[in-house]
Amino acid sequence: ISPSLAGLSVPQLIIDPEDPRFFYARISYDRLYRSSDGGKTFASIWEGMKLSDEVLCVAYDHHKPGTLLAGATENLYITRNRGDSWDIIPGPFQGQSILTVAIHPKRPGHIYVGATRGLYESTDYGLTWQLIGFEDTTVSAMAFDPHDPEKIYLGTRYSGLFRSPDGGKSWEPIGEGLPREIRQILISPKGRLFVRTPEGIYRLELK
């Protein structure tokens, strides 16, 4: 990886699934950087983003090559040209920190946004939004079950880990004994759930 990122905290790195020459790096307390040469060099890509916004999460849209969503401290952004420029997607979460963005793997245009005061859903690529749960709760992480994307796993700040069996219509708490602050969720192809917390990384077997 490029020495231009040396000494920087990179909490998220995405390799473009359509063109692996492109890397997207999220830098802590900053915004986004992109490599177009397989990670040898990186340059900033925040044209259209507000100077006051720190990017907190990034999601690649597998339904639309070159399209990414970025959640920031006050806005949700979209790029359709691999980060050359960004536009704000307005919604009821504006002014909140957006800590996680997830795009349904089987439904184009179906977006979930986790913010400091709830979980929001759009089924029309951000034209309309609705609050679907966790009002006044900070939603910090989301992941889809790779074998059944209607099963969604959701982490919160200070309220623990939850699972939905029906695409977000209902939720149940899981992970008894886990720390209450969930920072990241990852599901392996073999069906293991990994949860990052301030106290370390935990593994759960999915049922």
Side-chain angles (χ1 to χ4, degrees), residues 31 48-58 69-78 86-101 113-116 129:
R31 282 165 285 181
M49 289 186 176
K50 293 186 176 182
L51 292 176
S52 59
D53 264 335
E54 172 195 341
V55 174
L56 303 174
C57 59
V58 185
L69 298 176
T73 44
E74 293 186 349
N75 292 286
L76 176 65
Y77 294 94
I78 184 170
W86 297 84
D87 297 304
I88 290 176
I89 297 179
F93 41 72
Q94 279 187 286
Q96 303 180 49
S97 290
I98 297 172
L99 300 176
T100 184
V101 178
V113 167
T116 47
W129 293 91

PDB file of all heavy atoms in Angstrom, residues 31 48-58 69-78 86-101 113-116 129:
ATOM      1  N   ARG A  31     -11.503  12.694   5.452  1.00  0.00           N
ATOM      2  CA  ARG A  31     -12.505  12.252   4.493  1.00  0.00           C
ATOM      3  C   ARG A  31     -11.969  11.057   3.703  1.00  0.00           C
ATOM      4  O   ARG A  31     -11.500  10.099   4.304  1.00  0.00           O
ATOM      5  CB  ARG A  31     -12.904  13.440   3.605  1.00  0.00           C
ATOM      6  CG  ARG A  31     -13.868  14.380   4.340  1.00  0.00           C
ATOM      7  CD  ARG A  31     -14.006  15.721   3.686  1.00  0.00           C
ATOM      8  NE  ARG A  31     -12.839  16.562   3.916  1.00  0.00           N
ATOM      9  CZ  ARG A  31     -12.707  17.794   3.471  1.00  0.00           C
ATOM     10  NH1 ARG A  31     -13.658  18.341   2.751  1.00  0.00           N
ATOM     11  NH2 ARG A  31     -11.623  18.501   3.729  1.00  0.00           N
ATOM     12  N   GLY A  48     -17.231  18.423  -3.586  1.00  0.00           N
ATOM     13  CA  GLY A  48     -18.652  18.463  -3.293  1.00  0.00           C
ATOM     14  C   GLY A  48     -18.990  18.211  -1.841  1.00  0.00           C
ATOM     15  O   GLY A  48     -20.131  18.465  -1.421  1.00  0.00           O
ATOM     16  N   MET A  49     -18.031  17.720  -1.060  1.00  0.00           N
ATOM     17  CA  MET A  49     -18.265  17.499   0.361  1.00  0.00           C
ATOM     18  C   MET A  49     -17.999  18.778   1.143  1.00  0.00           C
ATOM     19  O   MET A  49     -17.095  19.549   0.811  1.00  0.00           O
ATOM     20  CB  MET A  49     -17.368  16.387   0.899  1.00  0.00           C
ATOM     21  CG  MET A  49     -17.719  15.005   0.426  1.00  0.00           C
ATOM     22  SD  MET A  49     -16.708  13.740   1.266  1.00  0.00           S
ATOM     23  CE  MET A  49     -17.437  12.238   0.611  1.00  0.00           C
ATOM     24  N   LYS A  50     -18.759  18.996   2.203  1.00  0.00           N
ATOM     25  CA  LYS A  50     -18.546  20.160   3.047  1.00  0.00           C
ATOM     26  C   LYS A  50     -17.254  20.010   3.842  1.00  0.00           C
ATOM     27  O   LYS A  50     -16.920  18.913   4.309  1.00  0.00           O
ATOM     28  CB  LYS A  50     -19.731  20.347   3.990  1.00  0.00           C
ATOM     29  CG  LYS A  50     -21.022  20.734   3.287  1.00  0.00           C
ATOM     30  CD  LYS A  50     -22.121  21.047   4.287  1.00  0.00           C
ATOM     31  CE  LYS A  50     -23.374  21.538   3.578  1.00  0.00           C
ATOM     32  NZ  LYS A  50     -24.457  21.887   4.537  1.00  0.00           N
ATOM     33  N   LEU A  51     -16.546  21.126   4.010  1.00  0.00           N
ATOM     34  CA  LEU A  51     -15.280  21.086   4.722  1.00  0.00           C
ATOM     35  C   LEU A  51     -15.451  20.628   6.160  1.00  0.00           C
ATOM     36  O   LEU A  51     -14.536  20.043   6.751  1.00  0.00           O
ATOM     37  CB  LEU A  51     -14.611  22.464   4.688  1.00  0.00           C
ATOM     38  CG  LEU A  51     -14.116  22.943   3.315  1.00  0.00           C
ATOM     39  CD1 LEU A  51     -13.580  24.364   3.419  1.00  0.00           C
ATOM     40  CD2 LEU A  51     -13.042  22.004   2.782  1.00  0.00           C
ATOM     41  N   SER A  52     -16.631  20.881   6.734  1.00  0.00           N
ATOM     42  CA  SER A  52     -16.867  20.531   8.133  1.00  0.00           C
ATOM     43  C   SER A  52     -17.208  19.066   8.335  1.00  0.00           C
ATOM     44  O   SER A  52     -17.258  18.584   9.473  1.00  0.00           O
ATOM     45  CB  SER A  52     -18.005  21.394   8.697  1.00  0.00           C
ATOM     46  OG  SER A  52     -19.202  21.191   7.947  1.00  0.00           O
ATOM     47  N   ASP A  53     -17.451  18.317   7.254  1.00  0.00           N
ATOM     48  CA  ASP A  53     -17.874  16.925   7.372  1.00  0.00           C
ATOM     49  C   ASP A  53     -16.676  15.983   7.460  1.00  0.00           C
ATOM     50  O   ASP A  53     -15.777  16.018   6.608  1.00  0.00           O
ATOM     51  CB  ASP A  53     -18.747  16.521   6.180  1.00  0.00           C
ATOM     52  CG  ASP A  53     -20.231  16.633   6.481  1.00  0.00           C
ATOM     53  OD1 ASP A  53     -20.601  16.547   7.666  1.00  0.00           O
ATOM     54  OD2 ASP A  53     -21.014  16.802   5.534  1.00  0.00           O
ATOM     55  N   GLU A  54     -16.686  15.138   8.460  1.00  0.00           N
ATOM     56  CA  GLU A  54     -15.749  14.021   8.556  1.00  0.00           C
ATOM     57  C   GLU A  54     -16.477  12.766   8.096  1.00  0.00           C
ATOM     58  O   GLU A  54     -17.585  12.484   8.550  1.00  0.00           O
ATOM     59  CB  GLU A  54     -15.263  13.849   9.991  1.00  0.00           C
ATOM     60  CG  GLU A  54     -14.435  12.596  10.214  1.00  0.00           C
ATOM     61  CD  GLU A  54     -14.289  12.258  11.692  1.00  0.00           C
ATOM     62  OE1 GLU A  54     -14.515  13.154  12.533  1.00  0.00           O
ATOM     63  OE2 GLU A  54     -13.964  11.100  11.999  1.00  0.00           O
ATOM     64  N   VAL A  55     -15.903  12.003   7.186  1.00  0.00           N
ATOM     65  CA  VAL A  55     -16.543  10.781   6.688  1.00  0.00           C
ATOM     66  C   VAL A  55     -16.397   9.672   7.726  1.00  0.00           C
ATOM     67  O   VAL A  55     -15.295   9.383   8.204  1.00  0.00           O
ATOM     68  CB  VAL A  55     -15.939  10.350   5.344  1.00  0.00           C
ATOM     69  CG1 VAL A  55     -16.511   9.002   4.909  1.00  0.00           C
ATOM     70  CG2 VAL A  55     -16.246  11.393   4.271  1.00  0.00           C
ATOM     71  N   LEU A  56     -17.526   9.047   8.074  1.00  0.00           N
ATOM     72  CA  LEU A  56     -17.561   8.031   9.122  1.00  0.00           C
ATOM     73  C   LEU A  56     -17.808   6.624   8.600  1.00  0.00           C
ATOM     74  O   LEU A  56     -17.567   5.649   9.315  1.00  0.00           O
ATOM     75  CB  LEU A  56     -18.659   8.394  10.135  1.00  0.00           C
ATOM     76  CG  LEU A  56     -18.535   9.779  10.785  1.00  0.00           C
ATOM     77  CD1 LEU A  56     -19.765  10.068  11.640  1.00  0.00           C
ATOM     78  CD2 LEU A  56     -17.261   9.891  11.607  1.00  0.00           C
ATOM     79  N   CYS A  57     -18.296   6.490   7.364  1.00  0.00           N
ATOM     80  CA  CYS A  57     -18.552   5.170   6.796  1.00  0.00           C
ATOM     81  C   CYS A  57     -18.692   5.291   5.286  1.00  0.00           C
ATOM     82  O   CYS A  57     -19.047   6.358   4.773  1.00  0.00           O
ATOM     83  CB  CYS A  57     -19.809   4.535   7.398  1.00  0.00           C
ATOM     84  SG  CYS A  57     -21.316   5.509   7.144  1.00  0.00           S
ATOM     85  N   VAL A  58     -18.422   4.191   4.597  1.00  0.00           N
ATOM     86  CA  VAL A  58     -18.521   4.153   3.140  1.00  0.00           C
ATOM     87  C   VAL A  58     -19.131   2.815   2.728  1.00  0.00           C
ATOM     88  O   VAL A  58     -18.841   1.779   3.339  1.00  0.00           O
ATOM     89  CB  VAL A  58     -17.144   4.303   2.457  1.00  0.00           C
ATOM     90  CG1 VAL A  58     -17.305   4.384   0.940  1.00  0.00           C
ATOM     91  CG2 VAL A  58     -16.404   5.516   2.975  1.00  0.00           C
ATOM     92  N   LEU A  69     -21.710   5.334  -1.469  1.00  0.00           N
ATOM     93  CA  LEU A  69     -22.369   6.207  -0.504  1.00  0.00           C
ATOM     94  C   LEU A  69     -21.409   6.440   0.655  1.00  0.00           C
ATOM     95  O   LEU A  69     -20.701   5.516   1.078  1.00  0.00           O
ATOM     96  CB  LEU A  69     -23.652   5.573   0.013  1.00  0.00           C
ATOM     97  CG  LEU A  69     -24.744   5.292  -1.016  1.00  0.00           C
ATOM     98  CD1 LEU A  69     -25.904   4.572  -0.352  1.00  0.00           C
ATOM     99  CD2 LEU A  69     -25.223   6.568  -1.663  1.00  0.00           C
ATOM    100  N   ALA A  70     -21.399   7.658   1.164  1.00  0.00           N
ATOM    101  CA  ALA A  70     -20.529   8.003   2.284  1.00  0.00           C
ATOM    102  C   ALA A  70     -21.345   8.721   3.350  1.00  0.00           C
ATOM    103  O   ALA A  70     -21.987   9.738   3.071  1.00  0.00           O
ATOM    104  CB  ALA A  70     -19.373   8.894   1.814  1.00  0.00           C
ATOM    105  N   GLY A  71     -21.322   8.180   4.553  1.00  0.00           N
ATOM    106  CA  GLY A  71     -21.968   8.834   5.675  1.00  0.00           C
ATOM    107  C   GLY A  71     -20.967   9.699   6.411  1.00  0.00           C
ATOM    108  O   GLY A  71     -19.822   9.293   6.632  1.00  0.00           O
ATOM    109  N   ALA A  72     -21.382  10.889   6.791  1.00  0.00           N
ATOM    110  CA  ALA A  72     -20.478  11.844   7.426  1.00  0.00           C
ATOM    111  C   ALA A  72     -21.103  12.387   8.709  1.00  0.00           C
ATOM    112  O   ALA A  72     -22.170  11.944   9.136  1.00  0.00           O
ATOM    113  CB  ALA A  72     -20.146  12.970   6.456  1.00  0.00           C
ATOM    114  N   THR A  73     -20.417  13.332   9.310  1.00  0.00           N
ATOM    115  CA  THR A  73     -20.862  13.857  10.606  1.00  0.00           C
ATOM    116  C   THR A  73     -22.159  14.658  10.501  1.00  0.00           C
ATOM    117  O   THR A  73     -22.833  14.856  11.508  1.00  0.00           O
ATOM    118  CB  THR A  73     -19.767  14.725  11.230  1.00  0.00           C
ATOM    119  OG1 THR A  73     -19.216  15.595  10.227  1.00  0.00           O
ATOM    120  CG2 THR A  73     -18.655  13.873  11.795  1.00  0.00           C
ATOM    121  N   GLU A  74     -22.527  15.117   9.294  1.00  0.00           N
ATOM    122  CA  GLU A  74     -23.772  15.873   9.165  1.00  0.00           C
ATOM    123  C   GLU A  74     -24.583  15.529   7.919  1.00  0.00           C
ATOM    124  O   GLU A  74     -25.713  15.986   7.793  1.00  0.00           O
ATOM    125  CB  GLU A  74     -23.480  17.380   9.157  1.00  0.00           C
ATOM    126  CG  GLU A  74     -22.958  17.905  10.486  1.00  0.00           C
ATOM    127  CD  GLU A  74     -22.813  19.410  10.494  1.00  0.00           C
ATOM    128  OE1 GLU A  74     -22.913  20.030   9.410  1.00  0.00           O
ATOM    129  OE2 GLU A  74     -22.601  19.975  11.580  1.00  0.00           O
ATOM    130  N   ASN A  75     -24.023  14.742   6.979  1.00  0.00           N
ATOM    131  CA  ASN A  75     -24.702  14.513   5.705  1.00  0.00           C
ATOM    132  C   ASN A  75     -24.433  13.111   5.172  1.00  0.00           C
ATOM    133  O   ASN A  75     -23.472  12.441   5.579  1.00  0.00           O
ATOM    134  CB  ASN A  75     -24.234  15.532   4.657  1.00  0.00           C
ATOM    135  CG  ASN A  75     -24.687  16.940   4.963  1.00  0.00           C
ATOM    136  OD1 ASN A  75     -25.846  17.274   4.807  1.00  0.00           O
ATOM    137  ND2 ASN A  75     -23.762  17.786   5.416  1.00  0.00           N
ATOM    138  N   LEU A  76     -25.299  12.705   4.228  1.00  0.00           N
ATOM    139  CA  LEU A  76     -25.093  11.490   3.443  1.00  0.00           C
ATOM    140  C   LEU A  76     -24.751  11.916   2.020  1.00  0.00           C
ATOM    141  O   LEU A  76     -25.455  12.741   1.427  1.00  0.00           O
ATOM    142  CB  LEU A  76     -26.357  10.636   3.436  1.00  0.00           C
ATOM    143  CG  LEU A  76     -26.329   9.366   2.578  1.00  0.00           C
ATOM    144  CD1 LEU A  76     -25.314   8.368   3.116  1.00  0.00           C
ATOM    145  CD2 LEU A  76     -27.718   8.732   2.516  1.00  0.00           C
ATOM    146  N   TYR A  77     -23.673  11.346   1.478  1.00  0.00           N
ATOM    147  CA  TYR A  77     -23.205  11.717   0.139  1.00  0.00           C
ATOM    148  C   TYR A  77     -23.260  10.521  -0.803  1.00  0.00           C
ATOM    149  O   TYR A  77     -23.178   9.364  -0.381  1.00  0.00           O
ATOM    150  CB  TYR A  77     -21.750  12.201   0.204  1.00  0.00           C
ATOM    151  CG  TYR A  77     -21.549  13.484   0.955  1.00  0.00           C
ATOM    152  CD1 TYR A  77     -21.219  13.479   2.307  1.00  0.00           C
ATOM    153  CD2 TYR A  77     -21.669  14.725   0.324  1.00  0.00           C
ATOM    154  CE1 TYR A  77     -21.021  14.667   3.014  1.00  0.00           C
ATOM    155  CE2 TYR A  77     -21.464  15.910   1.010  1.00  0.00           C
ATOM    156  CZ  TYR A  77     -21.150  15.872   2.359  1.00  0.00           C
ATOM    157  OH  TYR A  77     -20.953  17.041   3.045  1.00  0.00           O
ATOM    158  N   ILE A  78     -23.369  10.837  -2.115  1.00  0.00           N
ATOM    159  CA  ILE A  78     -23.317   9.818  -3.148  1.00  0.00           C
ATOM    160  C   ILE A  78     -22.389  10.270  -4.261  1.00  0.00           C
ATOM    161  O   ILE A  78     -22.320  11.458  -4.597  1.00  0.00           O
ATOM    162  CB  ILE A  78     -24.723   9.521  -3.715  1.00  0.00           C
ATOM    163  CG1 ILE A  78     -24.664   8.366  -4.726  1.00  0.00           C
ATOM    164  CG2 ILE A  78     -25.357  10.763  -4.349  1.00  0.00           C
ATOM    165  CD1 ILE A  78     -26.021   7.851  -5.151  1.00  0.00           C
ATOM    166  N   TRP A  86     -19.129  14.494  -5.463  1.00  0.00           N
ATOM    167  CA  TRP A  86     -20.113  13.978  -4.518  1.00  0.00           C
ATOM    168  C   TRP A  86     -21.303  14.925  -4.431  1.00  0.00           C
ATOM    169  O   TRP A  86     -21.143  16.137  -4.537  1.00  0.00           O
ATOM    170  CB  TRP A  86     -19.490  13.832  -3.125  1.00  0.00           C
ATOM    171  CG  TRP A  86     -18.372  12.843  -3.059  1.00  0.00           C
ATOM    172  CD1 TRP A  86     -17.061  13.073  -3.377  1.00  0.00           C
ATOM    173  CD2 TRP A  86     -18.453  11.475  -2.671  1.00  0.00           C
ATOM    174  NE1 TRP A  86     -16.316  11.931  -3.201  1.00  0.00           N
ATOM    175  CE2 TRP A  86     -17.142  10.931  -2.764  1.00  0.00           C
ATOM    176  CE3 TRP A  86     -19.493  10.650  -2.234  1.00  0.00           C
ATOM    177  CZ2 TRP A  86     -16.864   9.608  -2.434  1.00  0.00           C
ATOM    178  CZ3 TRP A  86     -19.213   9.323  -1.908  1.00  0.00           C
ATOM    179  CH2 TRP A  86     -17.916   8.818  -2.009  1.00  0.00           C
ATOM    180  N   ASP A  87     -22.474  14.358  -4.219  1.00  0.00           N
ATOM    181  CA  ASP A  87     -23.695  15.127  -3.993  1.00  0.00           C
ATOM    182  C   ASP A  87     -24.326  14.694  -2.678  1.00  0.00           C
ATOM    183  O   ASP A  87     -24.215  13.528  -2.270  1.00  0.00           O
ATOM    184  CB  ASP A  87     -24.704  14.900  -5.129  1.00  0.00           C
ATOM    185  CG  ASP A  87     -24.182  15.381  -6.472  1.00  0.00           C
ATOM    186  OD1 ASP A  87     -23.821  16.567  -6.570  1.00  0.00           O
ATOM    187  OD2 ASP A  87     -24.142  14.564  -7.407  1.00  0.00           O
ATOM    188  N   ILE A  88     -25.010  15.626  -2.022  1.00  0.00           N
ATOM    189  CA  ILE A  88     -25.724  15.313  -0.787  1.00  0.00           C
ATOM    190  C   ILE A  88     -27.055  14.649  -1.115  1.00  0.00           C
ATOM    191  O   ILE A  88     -27.786  15.087  -2.000  1.00  0.00           O
ATOM    192  CB  ILE A  88     -25.954  16.590   0.029  1.00  0.00           C
ATOM    193  CG1 ILE A  88     -24.624  17.114   0.598  1.00  0.00           C
ATOM    194  CG2 ILE A  88     -26.939  16.342   1.172  1.00  0.00           C
ATOM    195  CD1 ILE A  88     -24.755  18.431   1.333  1.00  0.00           C
ATOM    196  N   ILE A  89     -27.365  13.563  -0.407  1.00  0.00           N
ATOM    197  CA  ILE A  89     -28.690  12.956  -0.448  1.00  0.00           C
ATOM    198  C   ILE A  89     -29.455  13.478   0.760  1.00  0.00           C
ATOM    199  O   ILE A  89     -29.117  13.155   1.899  1.00  0.00           O
ATOM    200  CB  ILE A  89     -28.620  11.422  -0.399  1.00  0.00           C
ATOM    201  CG1 ILE A  89     -27.890  10.864  -1.616  1.00  0.00           C
ATOM    202  CG2 ILE A  89     -30.035  10.833  -0.325  1.00  0.00           C
ATOM    203  CD1 ILE A  89     -27.774   9.356  -1.618  1.00  0.00           C
ATOM    204  N   PRO A  90     -30.457  14.314   0.563  1.00  0.00           N
ATOM    205  CA  PRO A  90     -31.188  14.853   1.718  1.00  0.00           C
ATOM    206  C   PRO A  90     -32.041  13.784   2.379  1.00  0.00           C
ATOM    207  O   PRO A  90     -32.466  12.813   1.748  1.00  0.00           O
ATOM    208  CB  PRO A  90     -32.054  15.957   1.098  1.00  0.00           C
ATOM    209  CG  PRO A  90     -32.208  15.556  -0.331  1.00  0.00           C
ATOM    210  CD  PRO A  90     -30.950  14.847  -0.715  1.00  0.00           C
ATOM    211  N   GLY A  91     -32.273  13.974   3.678  1.00  0.00           N
ATOM    212  CA  GLY A  91     -33.097  13.028   4.408  1.00  0.00           C
ATOM    213  C   GLY A  91     -33.319  13.503   5.826  1.00  0.00           C
ATOM    214  O   GLY A  91     -32.730  14.495   6.264  1.00  0.00           O
ATOM    215  N   PRO A  92     -34.149  12.795   6.574  1.00  0.00           N
ATOM    216  CA  PRO A  92     -34.467  13.203   7.942  1.00  0.00           C
ATOM    217  C   PRO A  92     -33.300  13.072   8.908  1.00  0.00           C
ATOM    218  O   PRO A  92     -33.383  13.537  10.045  1.00  0.00           O
ATOM    219  CB  PRO A  92     -35.611  12.255   8.336  1.00  0.00           C
ATOM    220  CG  PRO A  92     -35.421  11.059   7.463  1.00  0.00           C
ATOM    221  CD  PRO A  92     -34.873  11.577   6.176  1.00  0.00           C
ATOM    222  N   PHE A  93     -32.224  12.444   8.459  1.00  0.00           N
ATOM    223  CA  PHE A  93     -31.036  12.257   9.288  1.00  0.00           C
ATOM    224  C   PHE A  93     -30.031  13.396   9.156  1.00  0.00           C
ATOM    225  O   PHE A  93     -28.987  13.369   9.809  1.00  0.00           O
ATOM    226  CB  PHE A  93     -30.346  10.950   8.883  1.00  0.00           C
ATOM    227  CG  PHE A  93     -30.326  10.746   7.397  1.00  0.00           C
ATOM    228  CD1 PHE A  93     -29.512  11.487   6.572  1.00  0.00           C
ATOM    229  CD2 PHE A  93     -31.184   9.824   6.814  1.00  0.00           C
ATOM    230  CE1 PHE A  93     -29.526  11.318   5.200  1.00  0.00           C
ATOM    231  CE2 PHE A  93     -31.211   9.642   5.439  1.00  0.00           C
ATOM    232  CZ  PHE A  93     -30.367  10.397   4.627  1.00  0.00           C
ATOM    233  N   GLN A  94     -30.302  14.364   8.298  1.00  0.00           N
ATOM    234  CA  GLN A  94     -29.356  15.471   8.126  1.00  0.00           C
ATOM    235  C   GLN A  94     -29.152  16.192   9.450  1.00  0.00           C
ATOM    236  O   GLN A  94     -30.095  16.445  10.193  1.00  0.00           O
ATOM    237  CB  GLN A  94     -29.847  16.451   7.064  1.00  0.00           C
ATOM    238  CG  GLN A  94     -29.540  15.969   5.650  1.00  0.00           C
ATOM    239  CD  GLN A  94     -29.874  17.014   4.600  1.00  0.00           C
ATOM    240  OE1 GLN A  94     -31.030  17.249   4.307  1.00  0.00           O
ATOM    241  NE2 GLN A  94     -28.849  17.649   4.058  1.00  0.00           N
ATOM    242  N   GLY A  95     -27.902  16.516   9.741  1.00  0.00           N
ATOM    243  CA  GLY A  95     -27.545  17.115  11.014  1.00  0.00           C
ATOM    244  C   GLY A  95     -27.133  16.084  12.053  1.00  0.00           C
ATOM    245  O   GLY A  95     -26.590  16.447  13.092  1.00  0.00           O
ATOM    246  N   GLN A  96     -27.390  14.795  11.772  1.00  0.00           N
ATOM    247  CA  GLN A  96     -26.944  13.710  12.639  1.00  0.00           C
ATOM    248  C   GLN A  96     -25.660  13.104  12.074  1.00  0.00           C
ATOM    249  O   GLN A  96     -25.398  13.178  10.870  1.00  0.00           O
ATOM    250  CB  GLN A  96     -28.001  12.607  12.731  1.00  0.00           C
ATOM    251  CG  GLN A  96     -29.362  13.044  13.222  1.00  0.00           C
ATOM    252  CD  GLN A  96     -30.323  11.872  13.269  1.00  0.00           C
ATOM    253  OE1 GLN A  96     -30.021  10.813  13.796  1.00  0.00           O
ATOM    254  NE2 GLN A  96     -31.513  12.062  12.706  1.00  0.00           N
ATOM    255  N   SER A  97     -24.884  12.475  12.933  1.00  0.00           N
ATOM    256  CA  SER A  97     -23.737  11.703  12.458  1.00  0.00           C
ATOM    257  C   SER A  97     -24.241  10.378  11.909  1.00  0.00           C
ATOM    258  O   SER A  97     -25.015   9.675  12.554  1.00  0.00           O
ATOM    259  CB  SER A  97     -22.745  11.448  13.594  1.00  0.00           C
ATOM    260  OG  SER A  97     -22.103  12.643  13.969  1.00  0.00           O
ATOM    261  N   ILE A  98     -23.800  10.046  10.695  1.00  0.00           N
ATOM    262  CA  ILE A  98     -24.178   8.789  10.047  1.00  0.00           C
ATOM    263  C   ILE A  98     -23.015   7.822  10.218  1.00  0.00           C
ATOM    264  O   ILE A  98     -21.950   7.996   9.620  1.00  0.00           O
ATOM    265  CB  ILE A  98     -24.515   9.015   8.571  1.00  0.00           C
ATOM    266  CG1 ILE A  98     -25.740   9.934   8.463  1.00  0.00           C
ATOM    267  CG2 ILE A  98     -24.778   7.688   7.867  1.00  0.00           C
ATOM    268  CD1 ILE A  98     -26.054  10.379   7.067  1.00  0.00           C
ATOM    269  N   LEU A  99     -23.228   6.799  11.029  1.00  0.00           N
ATOM    270  CA  LEU A  99     -22.152   5.891  11.403  1.00  0.00           C
ATOM    271  C   LEU A  99     -22.103   4.629  10.553  1.00  0.00           C
ATOM    272  O   LEU A  99     -21.079   3.949  10.517  1.00  0.00           O
ATOM    273  CB  LEU A  99     -22.288   5.510  12.880  1.00  0.00           C
ATOM    274  CG  LEU A  99     -22.239   6.683  13.861  1.00  0.00           C
ATOM    275  CD1 LEU A  99     -22.493   6.207  15.276  1.00  0.00           C
ATOM    276  CD2 LEU A  99     -20.901   7.391  13.777  1.00  0.00           C
ATOM    277  N   THR A 100     -23.201   4.308   9.880  1.00  0.00           N
ATOM    278  CA  THR A 100     -23.202   3.125   9.027  1.00  0.00           C
ATOM    279  C   THR A 100     -24.201   3.298   7.888  1.00  0.00           C
ATOM    280  O   THR A 100     -25.281   3.867   8.083  1.00  0.00           O
ATOM    281  CB  THR A 100     -23.518   1.848   9.847  1.00  0.00           C
ATOM    282  OG1 THR A 100     -23.420   0.696   9.006  1.00  0.00           O
ATOM    283  CG2 THR A 100     -24.900   1.906  10.465  1.00  0.00           C
ATOM    284  N   VAL A 101     -23.828   2.826   6.712  1.00  0.00           N
ATOM    285  CA  VAL A 101     -24.690   2.810   5.530  1.00  0.00           C
ATOM    286  C   VAL A 101     -24.630   1.408   4.946  1.00  0.00           C
ATOM    287  O   VAL A 101     -23.539   0.835   4.801  1.00  0.00           O
ATOM    288  CB  VAL A 101     -24.246   3.831   4.474  1.00  0.00           C
ATOM    289  CG1 VAL A 101     -25.131   3.746   3.237  1.00  0.00           C
ATOM    290  CG2 VAL A 101     -24.274   5.238   5.033  1.00  0.00           C
ATOM    291  N   VAL A 113     -29.684   3.507   6.614  1.00  0.00           N
ATOM    292  CA  VAL A 113     -28.767   4.485   7.191  1.00  0.00           C
ATOM    293  C   VAL A 113     -28.902   4.438   8.706  1.00  0.00           C
ATOM    294  O   VAL A 113     -29.991   4.627   9.251  1.00  0.00           O
ATOM    295  CB  VAL A 113     -29.067   5.912   6.677  1.00  0.00           C
ATOM    296  CG1 VAL A 113     -28.341   6.959   7.514  1.00  0.00           C
ATOM    297  CG2 VAL A 113     -28.668   6.033   5.218  1.00  0.00           C
ATOM    298  N   GLY A 114     -27.788   4.177   9.382  1.00  0.00           N
ATOM    299  CA  GLY A 114     -27.756   4.208  10.832  1.00  0.00           C
ATOM    300  C   GLY A 114     -27.146   5.508  11.313  1.00  0.00           C
ATOM    301  O   GLY A 114     -26.021   5.842  10.940  1.00  0.00           O
ATOM    302  N   ALA A 115     -27.877   6.254  12.111  1.00  0.00           N
ATOM    303  CA  ALA A 115     -27.446   7.575  12.549  1.00  0.00           C
ATOM    304  C   ALA A 115     -27.549   7.684  14.071  1.00  0.00           C
ATOM    305  O   ALA A 115     -27.877   6.710  14.762  1.00  0.00           O
ATOM    306  CB  ALA A 115     -28.281   8.659  11.861  1.00  0.00           C
ATOM    307  N   THR A 116     -27.281   8.871  14.573  1.00  0.00           N
ATOM    308  CA  THR A 116     -27.241   9.040  16.023  1.00  0.00           C
ATOM    309  C   THR A 116     -28.619   9.002  16.671  1.00  0.00           C
ATOM    310  O   THR A 116     -28.711   8.866  17.891  1.00  0.00           O
ATOM    311  CB  THR A 116     -26.545  10.365  16.386  1.00  0.00           C
ATOM    312  OG1 THR A 116     -27.076  11.418  15.588  1.00  0.00           O
ATOM    313  CG2 THR A 116     -25.052  10.279  16.159  1.00  0.00           C
ATOM    314  N   TRP A 129     -37.633   8.696   2.610  1.00  0.00           N
ATOM    315  CA  TRP A 129     -37.050   7.989   3.743  1.00  0.00           C
ATOM    316  C   TRP A 129     -38.104   7.801   4.828  1.00  0.00           C
ATOM    317  O   TRP A 129     -39.048   8.586   4.940  1.00  0.00           O
ATOM    318  CB  TRP A 129     -35.892   8.784   4.340  1.00  0.00           C
ATOM    319  CG  TRP A 129     -34.709   8.912   3.443  1.00  0.00           C
ATOM    320  CD1 TRP A 129     -34.473   9.911   2.541  1.00  0.00           C
ATOM    321  CD2 TRP A 129     -33.606   8.014   3.362  1.00  0.00           C
ATOM    322  NE1 TRP A 129     -33.276   9.688   1.902  1.00  0.00           N
ATOM    323  CE2 TRP A 129     -32.721   8.540   2.379  1.00  0.00           C
ATOM    324  CE3 TRP A 129     -33.251   6.836   4.012  1.00  0.00           C
ATOM    325  CZ2 TRP A 129     -31.522   7.922   2.049  1.00  0.00           C
ATOM    326  CZ3 TRP A 129     -32.065   6.215   3.682  1.00  0.00           C
ATOM    327  CH2 TRP A 129     -31.210   6.747   2.715  1.00  0.00           C
TER     328      TRP A 129
END
